[in-house]
Amino acid sequence: MSLNRLPIRAAAAIIFIFSFLLFLSGYILQQQSIAALSAALPTPTHTRAQKHSAQISRQHLAAGLTSQPPIAASNDLQAQFLLAAHHKTHAYATAITTPSEACHALQLFAGLAALRDTAPTTRILYHPASWAATGAHPTAARLLRSATVRYGVRLVPVPGLEAAPALALAAAFREADMRRIALLDVRGILLQSLDSLLLAPAEGVVVTGIRDPAAPTRVGEALLVVTPDEVQAARVAEIAERDGATVGGVVNELFGNYAALLPSHPWVTPLGVFKTAGRRAAYRMGAWDAGKVRNESRYVSFAGEREPWRIGSGRGSTGVVAEMYRRWEKTRAEVCGLDLM
């Protein structure tokens, strides 16, 4: 071996050693972060029913979760780090059943992409399979293509979705490669990350839901976190195809007695909370503070309110309500542009 090659070999050996040490330190740091995250994220309070050892009692949760603190926002950075390593097994998803909702979905994914505290998880959009088969609704088709190009959304055609919206839930249960999926109602604005909810331990629970503020013992349909399960997919599909049921209807019929229920705040805030004092019972504070509730909210739902996609729908609104309508209109113009329908 020539002497002039020795320094090269020595340099290569040094580089290898330092690279290995860097990898080892990164691995140790990751394991420490995972351990810290597991300790920090609480499991929803629950008891197991005698006949359903893996199912959660809705009655117990309805009585006990009013005092349960929400999963702390401080855990979001840890959740983001962990999800970044497992982004292919956790997903954000939504579903549309009409062409006008294509822009809503695009807005939702745009909002998700804009969040700095959200890991690059898988993104899924369920839409009626007939659109592709017939070539109808070209504007909606352009918006769907835009979702794939701009935000990496995976499009999943679902036969019969127009007539049975709950088939989107069945499709989510069929995502065999996923561990957890956050299924969001397309009629809302995502304000903060839901990563920590996706990662919250839920042993034996196939559905984690948010309590409907208007009916505390019911599961709301604005946000569901599901664990894929082919058996549950078949059960949901059977009811959806038979009755043309909504997501909320099927969830409460099949899982209402043992879904894991979390308080509505801070996960889902109905827009009407900012308008009607009678809907604020779930917010325990000495004096109502709309700004504080808005800042803590993860997702604001427009379901049941004047549709923000109608021109002038926010006219006459004030405060946080007016702010939410302006935000929707601004995002719609920026994201959908001339494709407004």
Side-chain angles (χ1 to χ4, degrees):
M1 182 185 300
S2 60
L3 293 177
N4 59 352
R5 291 188 179 181
L6 289 177
I8 297 176
R9 302 253 178 165
I14 292 172
I15 292 173
F16 173 79
I17 291 172
F18 276 97
S19 299
F20 175 76
L21 292 175
L22 182 62
F23 168 79
L24 184 62
S25 62
Y27 175 79
I28 294 173
L29 179 62
Q30 182 190 50
Q31 295 306 307
Q32 291 175 342
S33 299
I34 293 173
L37 179 62
S38 299
L41 291 176
T43 303
T45 305
H46 63 275
T47 59
R48 299 184 188 278
Q50 294 180 352
K51 294 183 179 181
H52 304 278
S53 61
Q55 298 166 339
I56 300 217
S57 166
R58 179 184 65 183
Q59 290 78 12
H60 173 81
L61 288 163
L65 278 175
T66 54
S67 60
Q68 175 187 333
I71 297 175
S74 61
N75 292 327
D76 286 341
L77 185 58
Q78 293 174 314
Q80 180 184 0
F81 175 82
L82 185 55
L83 273 181
H86 301 281
H87 64 279
K88 292 184 178 180
T89 58
H90 293 75
Y92 284 82
T94 192
I96 59 176
T97 58
T98 65
S100 63
E101 291 178 338
C103 181
H104 308 351
L106 199 60
Q107 289 177 249
L108 193 63
F109 287 117
L112 179 62
L115 295 178
R116 296 181 180 180
D117 58 347
T118 298
T121 50
T122 299
R123 290 144 194 202
I124 305 171
L125 174 55
Y126 302 111
H127 65 89
S130 61
W131 294 1
T134 62
H137 313 300
T139 301
R142 287 198 301 273
L143 291 172
L144 295 185
R145 287 195 297 270
S146 181
T148 63
V149 173
R150 296 167 67 178
Y151 307 116
V153 175
R154 173 159 59 87
L155 302 179
V156 178
V158 180
L161 186 60
E162 310 96 313
L167 287 174
L169 179 60
F173 273 124
R174 289 195 181 100
E175 299 282 356
D177 294 334
M178 294 290 160
R179 293 182 182 176
R180 301 266 279 172
I181 299 174
L183 184 61
L184 285 159
D185 187 341
V186 76
R187 299 166 296 175
I189 297 177
L190 192 60
L191 301 179
Q192 296 188 55
S193 169
L194 301 173
D195 288 0
S196 56
L197 183 57
L198 269 175
L199 287 171
E203 180 183 356
V205 178
V206 294
V207 174
T208 299
I210 309 300
R211 286 194 303 173
D212 185 342
T217 58
R218 286 181 59 83
V219 184
E221 65 177 338
L223 168 61
L224 298 168
V225 180
V226 304
T227 302
D229 184 307
E230 190 61 41
V231 173
Q232 304 304 335
R235 296 178 67 204
V236 171
E238 180 183 3
I239 295 177
E241 291 170 352
R242 183 188 68 208
D243 303 331
T246 63
V247 171
V250 171
V251 165
N252 282 281
E253 180 176 345
L254 291 180
F255 310 107
N257 287 325
Y258 29 83
L261 282 175
L262 293 173
S264 58
H265 185 70
W267 303 110
V268 174
T269 303
L271 186 66
V273 164
F274 299 105
K275 299 164 62 176
T276 308
R279 300 180 65 178
R280 299 171 185 169
Y283 301 86
R284 296 187 171 186
M285 53 180 64
W288 171 252
D289 187 338
K292 183 175 185 295
V293 172
R294 176 205 57 204
N295 292 338
E296 293 176 350
S297 298
R298 303 300 181 96
Y299 171 89
V300 173
S301 172
F302 281 86
E305 302 295 329
R306 285 182 295 174
E307 299 93 336
W309 48 94
R310 307 292 183 191
I311 297 176
S313 57
R315 189 177 297 120
S317 302
T318 60
V320 174
V321 175
E323 176 190 335
M324 291 296 106
Y325 275 107
R326 287 195 301 269
R327 180 166 181 160
W328 180 287
E329 293 170 358
K330 181 176 182 292
T331 304
R332 184 177 178 85
E334 292 174 349
V335 173
C336 302
L338 297 178
D339 280 324
L340 295 173
M341 294 172 284

